[in-house]
Amino acid sequence: MLGVTRPGGSHATTSPNFLRTDFRRHLRLAELYGILGSDEGPAAPAEADHRGNWADQLTPDVGAAPTRSRGRFIPRVGPGSLLDGVADVALTETSGDAGLARAMSKAAWDRARQAQGRVDLPSAEAIRQRCGLTWGRVVELAMVERSGRTRVLGQWDGSHFAGWGAQGPADGLRALRAVALRISHAPTSFEYDETAKTLEIESGRRRGRPLLLPRSVYLIGVYGSWAGALQEAGLELRPSPPVPQAVPSLADTLDQFIEEVGLLPNSWYFLEWCRRRDIPTTRVRGGWATVVAETRNLRSLRGALTPARATRSRDLPPLPDPLPRVRRMAFRHSREAIVASLRRYGEAHLPKGSLPRQKHYMAACRKDPKLIWPSAMTGHGRFHDLCLEAGIE
């Protein structure tokens, strides 16, 4: 975002301070407000059913525009592998000297790429254009470990910082309302940042000079929290999903069974009884005898008696009829299912040429119920490593 394209296609680096100082002048205040919409709208919080009431406040410039191919080179490798290739060529040429590698020019890197026979990589200029960064920053980003690259990119985004002037808070709220109209609900901070980037790209495609919008970090700094920014903009924060109740221990559920039936069952009968009653269970760890011992101790603490021996299967009462499955028994997603979910995310939700990010994946999970939430990936490794295994980076 720090690069400005001049007439004729030349690319010059402009400091963030200049862009912020020049913000209101080069956008023309009336034009900015025409894009983002006026403050006039319904008094009620913006929700999906209010869209028809004030969507006309946005000009057609904010409407979704199809992305058109401009005939640029699109490498077959993903952005992560592309940056890995930049680092490999630079380090091989400099015998592993990271300092010299970071100082390589585009011409020197191109010569090294040809000498090493890396026909899988495009030219330095093509890589620079694809990344939208200066060549120095491309090499610097390539030298960063894969899992830290999105963090570095965020640190380089000058629009995150303060310096928007006296009208900055008001302009930020206008941008926030425009994003809410665009996606038909009050955005999360991540959704706001992603949609703001889209608005900037579209404005640059239409006017030649891109719109520059504050990011969520700026709004949080001004209004204290993201919820505070939404409230100031007249938007209602979407309620958080209910926290799932913890699955009771097997000892607690066995205690419940003994209270109801008065017998001590075997493990098969007990688990089948739970399944038919739609009672979630955890895995039997340490053997069934351990579960029975924990239940005895639990009951003895409150003075309740526990049958001394398990009842034989033929003497146990008939199993109850299955209840409708309102809740599911606790289970872990397999690694194969998680990798398949990430592949689906890469194919259906991840923009081409973009690095996968956990926040972006979570936003996709809210839209696509077939995706597995990141919280279910615990124990299978880092999100970044799983993306590598899925082949989407």
Side-chain angles (χ1 to χ4, degrees):
M1 186 179 302
L2 301 182
V4 177
T5 302
R6 294 174 175 170
S10 63
H11 189 88
T13 301
T14 305
S15 69
N17 289 333
F18 172 79
L19 288 177
R20 290 195 293 268
T21 302
D22 197 39
F23 175 62
R24 302 185 68 78
R25 179 170 59 83
H26 87 254
L27 287 179
R28 303 185 191 90
L29 189 58
E31 181 182 14
L32 171 64
Y33 288 176
I35 294 173
L36 297 184
S38 71
D39 284 330
E40 298 176 359
E47 295 182 1
D49 55 353
H50 295 140
R51 184 177 174 85
N53 295 338
W54 56 307
D56 55 356
Q57 296 295 327
L58 293 179
T59 68
D61 289 325
V62 181
T67 302
R68 293 179 296 176
S69 172
R70 298 180 182 271
R72 294 180 179 175
F73 175 83
I74 301 178
R76 296 180 180 179
V77 297
S81 299
L82 194 64
L83 290 170
D84 286 344
V86 171
D88 289 342
V89 170
L91 289 172
T92 300
E93 180 66 16
T94 59
S95 301
D97 190 320
L100 293 176
R102 289 188 176 92
M104 286 189 70
S105 65
K106 289 191 294 182
W109 189 89
D110 280 334
R111 289 193 297 270
R113 173 180 66 94
Q114 294 175 357
Q116 296 174 26
R118 294 299 302 268
V119 296
D120 57 313
L121 297 173
S123 67
E125 177 59 19
I127 296 174
R128 187 202 64 74
Q129 290 183 10
R130 184 182 182 191
C131 294
L133 301 168
T134 63
W135 174 248
R137 285 202 161 178
V138 169
V139 178
E140 185 177 348
L141 186 64
M143 301 296 289
V144 176
E145 197 265 334
R146 271 199 177 198
S147 60
R149 286 172 181 165
T150 54
R151 173 183 54 80
V152 172
L153 283 172
Q155 293 173 350
W156 287 346
D157 190 348
S159 63
H160 281 194
F161 306 108
W164 293 91
Q167 292 298 318
D171 291 339
L173 293 180
R174 290 180 181 276
L176 184 52
R177 294 186 189 107
V179 169
L181 286 174
R182 180 72 172 254
I183 65 177
S184 301
H185 62 257
T188 64
S189 59
F190 178 79
E191 289 174 326
Y192 168 80
D193 287 337
E194 290 298 296
T195 308
K197 291 177 184 177
T198 302
L199 289 171
E200 289 174 344
I201 293 171
E202 292 177 358
S203 68
R205 190 160 56 233
R206 290 179 175 84
R207 292 175 173 78
R209 191 166 190 179
L211 188 68
L212 187 63
L213 301 177
R215 291 290 186 267
S216 61
V217 172
Y218 172 76
L219 290 169
I220 291 172
V222 172
Y223 298 106
S225 66
W226 186 245
L230 290 175
Q231 182 177 2
E232 194 69 24
L235 303 172
E236 186 175 291
L237 184 64
R238 287 184 295 173
S240 301
V243 178
Q245 296 183 352
V247 176
S249 68
L250 290 177
D252 289 332
T253 307
L254 181 57
D255 179 25
Q256 175 188 343
F257 176 92
I258 295 173
E259 287 292 317
E260 292 186 18
V261 182
L263 302 172
L264 179 62
N266 57 49
S267 61
W268 177 89
Y269 182 95
F270 170 72
L271 294 175
E272 182 63 18
W273 180 83
C274 291
R275 188 188 70 81
R276 295 192 179 203
R277 292 283 298 272
D278 193 29
I279 298 175
T281 59
T282 58
R283 293 180 179 179
V284 179
R285 301 183 183 278
W288 181 244
T290 301
V291 177
V292 173
E294 291 176 359
T295 305
R296 289 185 188 280
N297 182 60
L298 182 67
R299 293 175 62 82
S300 66
L301 290 176
R302 69 170 190 269
L305 297 176
T306 305
R309 296 179 180 177
T311 303
R312 294 180 297 184
S313 297
R314 65 186 182 184
D315 296 330
L316 289 168
L319 288 165
D321 294 330
L323 293 176
R325 295 292 298 272
V326 177
R327 295 179 300 181
R328 300 296 180 186
M329 297 179 69
F331 67 95
R332 291 179 179 270
H333 291 286
S334 67
R335 191 179 188 88
E336 292 74 17
I338 290 173
V339 171
S341 175
L342 289 171
R343 289 198 185 103
R344 175 182 176 85
Y345 158 70
E347 294 171 357
H349 304 281
L350 183 64
K352 292 187 181 299
S354 298
L355 292 170
R357 290 164 292 170
Q358 188 163 332
K359 285 187 176 181
H360 189 268
Y361 178 78
M362 291 176 64
C365 287
R366 295 186 180 97
K367 303 175 183 177
D368 190 341
K370 293 184 178 181
L371 296 180
I372 297 174
W373 281 87
S375 58
M377 300 179 183
T378 304
H380 291 283
R382 298 184 305 172
F383 177 78
H384 161 73
D385 295 329
L386 293 170
C387 288
L388 284 178
E389 186 174 339
I392 62 173
E393 183 177 335

